[in-house]
Structures are given as structure tokens and as C-alpha cells.
Amino acid sequence: MLEHRFGAVLLSYLLTRRPVPALGDHITPTHVRFQGRNISKVDDILVRGRSATGAEHLLSVGVRRRPRLVPSEADSVQLIRSYLDVVVGDWPLLQSGRQRLALAVVPACQPAHQLAALAGVAAAEPTPAEFRRRMAAGGGYANKGVRGRLAQLDTLVAAALCPGLAGGAACSPDVLTWRLLSKLSLIELRLEGADLSDRTEAVARLQQLTPDGLPSEADALFSRLAELVGIYAPEGAEVSLASLTADLHGLACFAPLAGPKGALGKAKASGVPQEAKSHEARGRTGSGRQQFTLWRAPTVSGKALQPVLESETLVVRDGYWLVGFDKTAGKRIWALQTAFDALPVTGSGQVFVADRSGRVVPIDARTGRKGRPLPIHMTDGSAVVDRGTLFTAAPDAHVHALDLASRVPLWTRPVGGVPAGPPRVCAGRVFLQTCHGSNGGDGTSMDGDLWAFSADGSLHMHAVQEGELLHWAVDDSNVYVVSRNQPGQSRITALDSDSGRMRWYHSVDGDLAGKPALARRSVYVTTTGGDVVALASDTGRELWRTGAGVRAAAAARVCDGVVYLGLWQPREFIALDADSGAQMWRKRTSGSFVSAPFTASGVVYACHRGGLAHGWDTHSGKEVRRAEVMWDEARQGSSLVTDGTAYVTGSGGELLALSLHAT
């Protein structure tokens, strides 16, 4: 069948990781879905792919051999109706270029070619009115046959709207016709008769996936793909590279491309990269403590926050100033005064801040130059960039999503209350914490909500918390919310990440020193009284509790089966077994710890108020690193650790780069 051969062509792109032409040259296909109605109303074939930024792109393909495209044909009306469903429901995605529509036909299909001619004109005109004026003017691109096809299409659109297309009443038929044409492309299927060029090109692509690279092997592989499509299509299957490779496993003519294995793959299997292992080994054999400051650079003042990294530029917020530093040399390359003083939002080579009217202003991370404000608003600092999309929380109690490549707003959703922090993207969902009112004393929120939206803007979860919502964390199964219902007591509530239904809760005496740490199917919480409590993530059952100290100012961190905690009082740093809570080693220091520890290359690092950052071997507890630096995590945020280097804004008003590779 024609559809099966076309499906095999698409699977050849998926197998070879080559761009599908109608999807975009910069998009790598990831899935091919047959009869994908639950994702796109155009239910013949749906191709999904990702850009270099990770943004998902969709291609909805209607496959018709020789459509007449006349209102008297029921199949033509149904085809146009399916396209209009997408145009009405997903217009922002179509505008942004993240979704595309295509009609696949055999060559010499005159109605389809006339439709393609109309689509070319519509795509070149910015408005429906301009499109109609150009068509009325005539010319070579709008001959009698093409103008007649437009009249037929207008009638088809009207017929498709008659049964009551959901949301169609918001646009006139003229507007819907222009929108459809401007986003529609034609795919000619050369897979039958004397012209088999599409099949020939697919076979050529597949040669790299055969044992000997022979055309005969690739031809057999293509035939097998067509057979698999005959199985996939009736089932409405969604095929990924992994599932397709598994279905082809053992086929004599198939030799899949090698994945990113080798040394890196082996290192990941053991849980510690090979490079990290070698550095760890060198660090243990070295003698004494080692200095590890790479460079120091002065900031504007001692109130600067911890840096964020974008496009090899470290961006530091210092009051109402943003300062950019070169990551390698530590040289200051730009400084810019802004309207507010929140931590900057970064992504896609840009820094995003709010102006006085709440508009989002992009700043080039390398040059510091401001760009044109984006067509959405945000509370300063209340945004996140994920896979080419900017998600913002606005002062008008709405969450907005905008495609950065096209500057097209994708969706807007209302929330209750005001943002209590920036949105966060976890497990493919956008989370936002909001609060209502205050206690009238210190101004802290007395209650709060947690919202979760899917990537398409649909509300996934709305959790209402009684009392002050303090922290939250997410893993694959649960959302863990920490709230305070009464002074001196904290409550940890686990919500099902799919339904939002409460799975369990656990009360802990005292306030928490920071958000919970998630590891080894457990939830680890640290109280300001110096206790560490481990809870089972599935039931909330208390696994162990230890009174590590008298006071803690920062939460514990968990890495490779060890819980690390720096105490305020006594002035000590401890390592606990994550499974039992038993003490592994303990170190006394000259200052109280105010920042959470972090690990790298077999060394755990922590900084205290005595002005020193220590590095201890994670196994022996022997001190191997030391630097003069101090920062306050509660006021300045967490240090930036990337590529074997920690970038820290010290309380004394300087930015430091610390090498984490033991030598």
C-alpha cells in the first residue's frame, strides 16, 4: 500500500536520525505515530522531533492518494475539518513553527497542486485581507484554476464548520482559510509506477545501517520497514528509535548505528565518570591540602548573589545591576542597570529581566545588549527557560509560555494568588508556587498553592496547602510539599505526580533548614535543630532519624549513598550512611556552616563563616582542598558548579572560580 511505503520512508529518517523535510531541516525526528488522533486531529501520521534547544516539533500529515477537494465529497470535508481542528486548537504552535501541516498525495494530482499554489501565496501574505487582495489581482500565480480552487476551499471550510467545530466560531471562514493555507505544505509521494525516487532515496539512506553497506541489504531493510508499518498502522502505534531498533533486532540486513557508548558509556554504568575516577584517585594519593582558586574578580558590592551561567558568561546580580564575566578568564565584560533586583533568568544565549511595566526584556549574554521587549509579562525573576520555551509568572496571576525562536506566545493560563518564586520545569511539567495574604507580622505567606501545567498549557495539578508553603521537590512519582501549619512543626506531604492526590504525609517537629533531598527512593529532611530524618518515598514511613547536632542553617545533601551535613552548632561537618543514618566520619572546623555542601570528583565541599571552603575526601574524610572564601546561602543562593569548576560569589564582594579537579 502507498501509506505503508510512505510510513517506511518516514521510519528511514527516524532510523538514520536525518531530518524529515516537511518537519524542518533543523529538527531531528524522535517518534512516528500512526493514526495519532489523541495528539493531532489529522490522524493519518504524526511525526515528532526536537530542535537543538530541545523544543518539540510536530508534523501532522494527511495521506490521500488523489483527493478531489470538493465540498460534495465527504472525505474532502472530513480532511479539511481535521486540519481546521488543528488550526483552531493549536494556532500559536503553528504560528511559532513548532507544528506543521502537510498533505501527502501522488504526483499529478491537480487539486492538490492548486492547493499548494494557494498555500504559497497565503504564506507570503501577513493577513487574510492581503491574501484576498492578491488573489483578486490575478497574475500567473493566481490563474483561473487556482482561483476556482480557492472558491471550492471556501465552501469546504464552511461545510467543515457547519457541524459545530469547537472554537471555530471565534474566527471567520476567511480567516480560517488563510490560516490553513499559510501553514499547509504538499508532499508528493513518488513510490509507485515508474517513479520510485522516494524509495530509492530511502534505500540509499538505509545503506549505512546494513552489515556490508550493500544496496540489496538496504532494499530488504526498506521492505521490512513497510511490513512493520502494516502492523503499526492498525494499532495506532507510536514508534521511537529504540522501539524500532528492537523490532528490527536479529534481522540479517540490519546493523544499527553505534550509540554514544565507549568509555563514556562504561563510566556512566558504574555511577562515576572515568574522568572523575582518575581525578579522585589522584586526589587521594596527593599529600596535604591543595589550594584550588583559579581566579578572583571584584563585583560591584558584597551583596551580590551567586552567578548563573549562559553562553560562557557568568551573570551576577548585584542590587539593581547585572554584571557579566567571562567564564574562563574572570574578566568583567559588561554591566547593566535594570529596573528590579531579582535573580536573572537565562536560556537560549540570553538573559531575561522585567522592565518597569513588567514586559520581558531579553539581553544578549555575551554583549549585554538589550533586545526588543517580548510580547509577554512577568514578575522580575519569575521565569524559566526550557527547551526553547520561556515560561513566566506575571503580576496579573497568569502563567505565560512563549516560543523564543519565533517570539510567539503559545498559551496563557490563570492561577490563584501571587507567585512565590519562579516557575520550575520538572518531569516535563511547569510548576509554580503561589501564595495568598500574609500573617500580618513578618509578611510571610500563611497559605499557598502549587500548580502544575503540561507543556501544552493544560492544568495538570492544583494542590492547595493549608498553612505556609515552604519548600517543594519533585521526583518521577511524587511531588513533595513542605508546609508549616503551626509554629514549631513542619509537614511533608507527598502528592501523586499524575493525579495530585495525596499519597501520605509526615509531621516533623521544628522548622526545616531547606528543601528535602531526594535519593535512593527516600526523602531526607534536615531540621534547624540539627536532626536529619529519612522517609520512604512511597509510604512516608520513617526509616531513621539522627540528632546530628544542635543547630543547622542549611539542608543536607545526598550523593552516592552518603548524607553530608554542615552544622551551625557545633561547628562540625558530618557524613552519614544514607541507608542507616550511621555516622561515617565527622570533622571539627573553625566556623559555623551556612551553606549546603556539594560533591565533585570524589571530594565533598562546604564553606563556613570562618571564611574557609574545605574539601574532604568522600571516603576517608581527609581534608584535601582549602580556599579562603565565604558565602551565605540563605541570602546569596547556591554556588554554581559546572564542568569541574565551582563559581562562587563571596560575601566580601568578589567572584571566584574554584577548580574541583584534584591534582
Side-chain angles (χ1 to χ4, degrees), residues 374 419 448:
L374 300 174

Short mmCIF file of all heavy atoms in Angstrom, two decimals, residues 374 419 448:
data_model
loop_
_atom_site.label_atom_id
_atom_site.label_comp_id
_atom_site.label_asym_id
_atom_site.label_seq_id
_atom_site.Cartn_x
_atom_site.Cartn_y
_atom_site.Cartn_z
N LEU A 374 9.73 41.30 24.75
CA LEU A 374 8.91 40.20 24.26
C LEU A 374 7.43 40.50 24.53
O LEU A 374 7.11 41.25 25.46
CB LEU A 374 9.32 38.90 24.94
CG LEU A 374 10.78 38.46 24.71
CD1 LEU A 374 11.10 37.23 25.55
CD2 LEU A 374 11.02 38.16 23.24
N PRO A 419 2.88 34.93 42.56
CA PRO A 419 4.00 33.99 42.53
C PRO A 419 4.86 34.10 43.78
O PRO A 419 5.19 35.19 44.24
CB PRO A 419 4.78 34.41 41.28
CG PRO A 419 3.80 35.17 40.44
CD PRO A 419 2.88 35.84 41.40
N GLY A 448 -0.68 28.66 50.66
CA GLY A 448 -0.17 28.70 49.30
C GLY A 448 -0.69 27.54 48.48
O GLY A 448 -1.20 26.56 49.00
#
